[in-house]
Amino acid sequence: MAKNLLIVESPAKAKTIEGYLGKDFMVKSSYGHIRDLVKTDDAIDVLNNFTQKYEVPADKKAVVSELKKLAKEADVVWLASDEDREGEAISWHLFETLGLKEDKTKRIVFHEITKPAILRAIDNPRKIDYNLVNAQQARRVLDRLVGFELSPVLWKKVKPSLSAGRVQSVAVRLIVEREREINKFKTTAAYKVVAIFSTGKQKELFRADLSERFDTEAEATEFLQACKNAAYKIESLETRPAKRSPAPPFTTSTLQQEASRKLGFSVSRTMTVAQKLYESGKITYMRTDSVNLSETALDAASNEINKAYGNQYHQLRKFKTKSAGAQEAHEAIRPTYFDQHSIEGDNSEKRLYELIWKRAIASQMSEARFEKTTAKIGISTRSEQFVANGEVMKFDGFLKVYIESTDEDQDVNLDDESGNAILPPLSKGQDLKAQEITATERFSRPPARYTEASLVKKLEELGIGRPSTYAPTISTVQNRGYVVKEDREGKSRTYCVFSLKNGEINKDTKTEITGAEKAKLFPTDIGAVVNDFLLQYFKGIVDYHFTANVEKEFDEIAHGLKEWTEMLKSFYSPFHQEVENTIQTAEKARGERDLGIDPASGKKVSVRIGRFGPFVQIGEADDEEKPRYASLRSGQMIETISLEDALELFNLPKKVGAFEDKDMTVAIGRFGPYIRHNSAFYSLPKDVDPHSVTEEQAIEIIKNKRIKDAEKLIKTFDEDPAVKVLNGRWGPYIEYGKQNVKIPKGKEAKDLTFEEVKALAEAAEKEPKKKGGRFAKKKG
């Protein structure tokens, strides 16, 4: 038996580290947390200093049992979980659950999985840092209290099965408020004027923009009229040097943002891939808000830049972390070995590694140097000026490796037209000739909806959440159905272009698509209703400053400056009182809105949240005739749906054509939209809108379902056609009455006789029933 037992969080990390240590070390994984708060209401004793009750989950009992046995046999147990608060808490849970002794236990931390880093950590062990453990406990307890006390309020006052969380509720509020800003936004139009000038020499053409815009068509055409006989002259010419510096190496937040913009990764995918890279020793720890690089890393980057690009490309930089609440002294995310420009791995790992390598290397490279030229061009008949800008790169510096993206890059900016990379030789007082001048109608744009990455950026700016919380927060709000991430089609819009060429003004009407969205976050109706309810009754929970202050208090606990139970007491008493008051006094929230009167029936049309989601209702419950209901379509919201759009939802069921001499009817049922044909039902795929399904689509859906059903059927029996041998998701099985019967190993499904099937079904009927599962007895 090895003298030393070293426990890490993941098997991948264990495998990597085991290769670095000798035979005296056994490296094992705890597979993350080995215990958690019990799921019952007594998990936290609020009257007894917030004492917690923990349990080892069923799926961790075998792991704990093995680790206990190995810990007893070892001389020293090394706790090597991650170096953040979560990791410190895992070490504490291991210490408590395995019954470890202080004198036999050592805590080590490292932020890269390399042999020197592991050996250095073993040479410098420490004890468990209880300040960090308490900070994590405070977060866990506070979030459990908020969730456990708020959720039942939402069940009673909004809708069953809802839940709330401290950071998640703030994230939903940001998305709801942004959507409302967009809905209220009034688009205004203005004319942007651009000229193409010539110096008189062949091919010496360049572009210049007018310094102001015109609000109306009349002002734009009046300007072009004045330009018909105008003379143009360069009134000023300025050439100046300019430089651009690289961005710091990645933090968790900036990595999530840039991987979204450059690679199209979701926040959770970025963290999953980064975790793999870290555990296999390719990059440093991926949960950090530090932009600092170690002296070792700075030397390695310097060597690699000098070797790969030359010493003129190297510039030592030490970045300082701006975030006041930055956690423990981690490094930024960087490659473990700077001389590894690329790695082996799957495509996601290769791409993310390359991004991290480029960003870290670029942070230690020289500035890019430019020469910028600005020419201001006077118009003899007007007071405005055209401005032409040109930029010439003199030295590429860090741009040789990496160009940072911005959120704005994600949205096509209709005003972006190609500028002048370089201007022709110009001089002050020089006369120019206008080849063409265009005035194009351009529209103001509402604030952009959040992407996952830009939401992370906003949360970080507000001081809400920490590196370890961004990804789970964004996943949670989507999983709870408060927010959806989706693409939405834009709408067609016309705009006018007036052009002056060869002394004539021409008008052209063009079309563009506006408002198209890709992978943006939209609030759902239930998300908006829950947000409004929390804002009305629990303003503190969704208050940006309150949530940021809570994070600061966690930081103070981590640094030993605040007692964690005192912090929880000051929060819990007023919060619990709010819960009690709300249960007694709050009205039920449904987000109800009256839309008007149905012209056909003269009855009221309203929209609200129901048990199965948002719906439109024609009529009222106390009318003689029962009200009619219709569910909202994807993309429609209670707040914005019009009476006209609401009434259109009642056009179903409708006939969409015929197939095999039988009508096809589209309708929406209890389990969603479907096509009815010849007494059979065919579910519509999620991406097919029941209101606009065509005859061709309906026929294709029916044919595809028949093919799938034919592939599913292995065998039927003359003795009882209702008994079938079918192909299922987990292999062949027997459908016998209301039973699904497993086929024993060694039996060939297609060769089964009716007698064998019957015997298997009877034997299965006598077996004790398991709860749930594929082969549980069907409900009648």
Side-chain angles (χ1 to χ4, degrees):
M1 171 65 205
K3 292 179 184 176
N4 298 278
L5 172 65
L6 190 143
I7 305 172
V8 292
E9 290 176 42
S10 79
K13 198 193 290 185
K15 192 177 176 186
T16 310
I17 291 172
E18 201 158 41
Y20 300 144
L21 300 171
K23 59 180 178 5
D24 287 344
F25 278 84
M26 175 183 282
V27 185
K28 286 288 177 182
S29 165
S30 70
Y31 295 85
H33 279 279
I34 57 158
R35 68 176 187 175
D36 197 5
L37 291 169
V38 296
K39 298 285 188 287
T40 49
D41 291 347
D42 61 345
I44 297 155
D45 187 348
V46 293
L47 301 175
N48 186 21
N49 253 1
F50 300 94
T51 309
Q52 303 110 58
K53 192 185 282 188
Y54 287 101
E55 65 180 353
V56 176
D59 62 339
K60 288 295 176 73
K61 284 189 173 161
V63 173
V64 169
S65 178
E66 185 196 15
L67 290 176
K68 265 186 181 174
K69 180 174 174 292
L70 295 171
K72 273 184 186 171
E73 294 169 358
D75 293 345
V76 181
V77 177
W78 302 78
L79 301 175
S81 51
D82 291 341
E83 61 168 339
D84 56 9
R85 295 173 198 170
E86 193 84 19
E88 206 69 24
I90 287 174
S91 280
W92 173 68
H93 285 304
L94 284 164
F95 184 84
E96 295 280 314
T97 310
L98 304 182
L100 302 180
K101 302 282 189 291
E102 281 278 353
D103 57 342
K104 277 184 61 177
T105 308
K106 295 182 179 182
R107 168 80 171 118
I108 59 169
V109 293
F110 40 84
H111 61 265
E112 64 182 41
I113 301 176
T114 60
K115 190 170 184 177
I118 303 302
L119 296 177
R120 194 162 51 244
I122 283 174
D123 288 340
N124 296 281
R126 61 170 173 80
K127 297 294 182 189
I128 291 169
D129 184 336
Y130 283 93
N131 289 331
L132 295 182
V133 172
N134 290 339
Q136 177 58 28
Q137 293 288 89
R139 177 188 290 280
R140 186 77 185 88
V141 168
L142 190 146
D143 287 347
R144 168 61 76 91
L145 289 172
V146 168
F148 258 54
E149 298 223 356
L150 265 191
S151 298
V153 180
L154 295 178
W155 302 342
K156 286 178 182 146
K157 302 297 181 181
V158 184
K159 185 173 172 273
S161 304
L162 294 179
S163 54
R166 187 178 54 88
V167 179
Q168 296 93 313
S169 297
V170 175
V172 173
R173 181 182 173 187
L174 283 167
I175 292 161
V176 169
E177 289 183 348
R178 178 58 55 88
E179 194 67 22
R180 286 174 179 163
E181 275 183 77
I182 292 165
N183 291 337
K184 285 178 189 168
F185 186 80
K186 300 289 183 221
T187 300
T188 56
Y191 285 84
K192 179 179 181 174
V193 182
V194 176
I196 303 298
F197 287 109
S198 163
T199 63
K201 291 184 182 175
Q202 197 176 10
K203 294 187 179 176
E204 283 194 352
L205 299 174
F206 63 95
R207 175 179 181 262
D209 297 351
L210 195 69
S211 51
E212 61 184 74
R213 297 188 178 199
F214 298 112
D215 293 335
T216 65
E217 182 180 314
E219 288 173 318
T221 51
E222 182 190 335
F223 175 80
L224 293 180
Q225 286 287 354
C227 289
K228 274 186 178 179
N229 302 308
Y232 303 95
K233 185 179 286 189
I234 295 177
E235 291 185 346
S236 71
L237 191 66
E238 183 191 351
T239 300
R240 68 188 190 283
K243 56 190 180 184
R244 201 177 304 162
S245 298
F250 283 129
T251 61
T252 303
S253 159
T254 54
L255 176 65
Q256 289 169 350
Q257 291 166 52
E258 199 72 336
S260 170
R261 293 186 290 234
K262 277 194 157 72
L263 308 179
F265 285 9
S266 69
V267 166
S268 59
R269 184 181 177 195
T270 297
M271 294 314 289
T272 301
V273 177
Q275 180 103 24
K276 285 184 189 172
L277 292 173
Y278 168 63
E279 290 176 353
S280 58
K282 307 286 197 318
I283 63 168
T284 53
Y285 192 53
M286 66 287 153
R287 281 193 278 274
T288 174
D289 44 19
S290 170
V291 288
N292 177 52
L293 290 178
S294 67
E295 291 298 326
T296 309
L298 293 172
D299 290 344
S302 168
N303 290 339
E304 193 52 35
I305 293 163
N306 290 330
K307 187 172 78 177
Y309 308 109
N311 60 5
Q312 73 274 27
Y313 279 94
H314 177 248
Q315 185 177 331
L316 176 69
R317 279 192 182 79
K318 294 188 178 181
F319 294 94
K320 287 232 167 82
T321 303
K322 290 177 187 171
S323 166
Q327 275 190 40
E328 306 76 53
H330 299 158
E331 265 195 278
I333 303 168
R334 62 164 175 86
T336 313
Y337 304 104
F338 279 94
D339 58 353
Q340 287 187 6
H341 293 220
S342 58
I343 57 156
E344 292 300 312
D346 66 28
N347 193 41
S348 296
E349 289 168 40
K350 286 178 179 175
R351 292 171 72 205
L352 193 66
Y353 178 84
E354 183 185 26
L355 192 67
I356 292 166
W357 184 89
K358 284 181 172 180
R359 175 83 164 220
I361 277 282
S363 78
Q364 297 303 308
M365 290 178 75
S366 309
E367 295 163 331
R369 295 195 298 273
F370 303 88
E371 185 177 83
K372 284 196 168 187
T373 302
T374 303
K376 291 185 178 173
I377 300 153
I379 310 160
S380 63
T381 55
R382 297 282 295 202
S383 60
E384 297 92 350
Q385 287 180 318
F386 281 102
V387 179
N389 289 299
E391 185 176 80
V392 180
M393 188 186 286
K394 294 295 187 183
F395 177 64
D396 54 359
F398 76 94
L399 293 175
K400 193 172 196 72
V401 173
Y402 182 82
I403 300 171
E404 187 182 16
S405 300
T406 64
D407 290 321
E408 286 70 34
D409 295 344
Q410 304 308 305
D411 298 306
V412 177
N413 189 336
L414 298 169
D415 291 344
D416 280 349
E417 311 207 12
S418 55
N420 306 291
I422 185 167
L423 290 169
L426 300 173
S427 58
K428 189 177 176 183
Q430 183 178 353
D431 291 325
L432 300 170
K433 181 174 170 44
Q435 297 280 93
E436 183 178 12
I437 303 174
T438 57
T440 305
E441 189 179 15
R442 283 286 165 244
F443 299 89
S444 58
R445 294 189 297 162
R449 287 184 175 88
Y450 288 108
T451 59
E452 287 192 354
S454 63
L455 182 62
V456 165
K457 186 179 179 183
K458 185 67 177 175
L459 289 169
E460 189 181 40
E461 283 171 7
L462 291 169
I464 293 164
R466 288 294 180 259
S468 60
T469 64
Y470 300 135
T473 295
I474 285 172
S475 297
T476 300
V477 296
Q478 292 176 66
N479 294 339
R480 286 181 174 170
Y482 296 156
V483 171
V484 291
K485 181 173 85 169
E486 60 188 25
D487 302 345
R488 291 198 183 167
E489 290 179 2
K491 291 178 182 172
S492 185
R493 173 173 70 190
T494 58
Y495 65 100
C496 293
V497 181
F498 294 92
S499 55
L500 170 63
K501 194 171 184 180
N502 301 325
E504 282 188 24
I505 298 173
N506 291 307
K507 180 180 179 180
D508 193 8
T509 302
K510 296 187 176 183
T511 303
E512 65 190 5
I513 299 296
T514 182
E517 300 282 22
K518 188 159 181 62
K520 292 290 179 71
L521 298 174
F522 296 84
T524 61
D525 283 302
I526 196 68
V529 171
V530 168
N531 173 71
D532 292 350
F533 182 83
L534 293 178
L535 262 174
Q536 184 176 351
Y537 296 102
F538 297 93
K539 198 164 177 60
I541 293 296
V542 286
D543 180 80
Y544 301 135
H545 299 298
F546 165 79
T547 313
N549 283 334
V550 167
E551 295 292 352
K552 284 180 190 165
E553 290 186 280
F554 292 151
D555 293 337
E556 288 168 6
I557 294 165
H559 291 109
L561 303 172
K562 183 166 269 197
E563 214 287 312
W564 72 283
T565 55
E566 291 305 313
M567 177 258 178
L568 287 174
K569 280 175 194 167
S570 65
F571 163 80
Y572 182 70
S573 296
F575 168 69
H576 181 69
Q577 193 57 52
E578 275 186 332
V579 169
E580 295 290 318
N581 294 344
T582 305
I583 286 173
Q584 289 171 20
T585 62
E587 296 284 316
K588 200 162 173 68
R590 289 188 176 142
E592 192 163 355
R593 180 172 159 244
D594 289 342
L595 299 181
I597 302 296
D598 172 26
S601 64
K603 292 184 177 180
K604 187 174 95 169
V605 181
S606 58
V607 61
R608 69 172 183 271
I609 294 277
R611 196 173 161 197
F612 300 107
F615 67 92
V616 178
Q617 176 176 319
I618 297 179
E620 298 192 60
D622 52 5
D623 289 350
E624 275 185 48
E625 196 180 348
K626 279 179 82 176
R628 293 163 62 206
Y629 305 99
S631 296
L632 267 63
R633 294 159 75 174
S634 173
Q636 290 181 326
M637 282 195 75
I638 286 174
E639 290 181 28
T640 54
I641 190 169
S642 66
L643 176 63
E644 184 185 8
D645 289 342
L647 292 173
E648 195 185 305
L649 298 172
F650 291 88
N651 291 341
L652 296 181
K654 68 173 181 180
K655 183 180 162 187
V656 291
F659 176 52
E660 296 172 344
D661 298 326
K662 301 280 185 184
D663 287 344
M664 295 182 294
T665 304
V666 178
I668 296 178
R670 191 175 158 200
F671 303 107
Y674 64 88
I675 297 162
R676 181 172 182 155
H677 174 258
N678 197 20
S679 302
F681 299 88
Y682 304 87
S683 293
L684 259 64
K686 281 186 179 177
D687 58 345
V688 176
D689 185 346
H691 294 269
S692 55
V693 67
T694 64
E695 184 177 54
E696 291 74 21
Q697 283 176 305
I699 292 169
E700 189 182 352
I701 289 163
I702 292 168
K703 284 181 174 177
N704 287 343
K705 177 73 164 60
R706 287 177 179 177
I707 291 166
K708 275 190 180 173
D709 287 349
E711 288 170 352
K712 186 179 177 182
L713 184 67
I714 297 173
K715 190 170 188 177
T716 56
F717 302 93
D718 294 335
E719 294 91 331
D720 186 348
V723 176
K724 296 167 187 169
V725 181
L726 301 168
N727 248 322
R729 193 172 162 192
W730 291 280
Y733 68 99
I734 300 158
E735 189 179 90
Y736 192 94
K738 292 180 180 178
Q739 278 179 283
N740 285 341
V741 182
K742 198 172 182 178
I743 297 171
K745 279 184 182 175
K747 291 271 185 189
E748 193 65 50
K750 62 181 171 53
D751 297 334
L752 286 169
T753 64
F754 183 73
E755 285 70 28
E756 286 175 308
V757 165
K758 189 178 176 186
L760 288 169
E762 286 169 357
E765 182 68 23
K766 289 172 188 171
E767 284 178 17
K769 297 291 179 288
K770 292 178 184 176
K771 285 188 180 180
R774 176 180 142 212
F775 295 104
K777 189 172 180 181
K778 288 183 183 176
K779 290 181 182 176

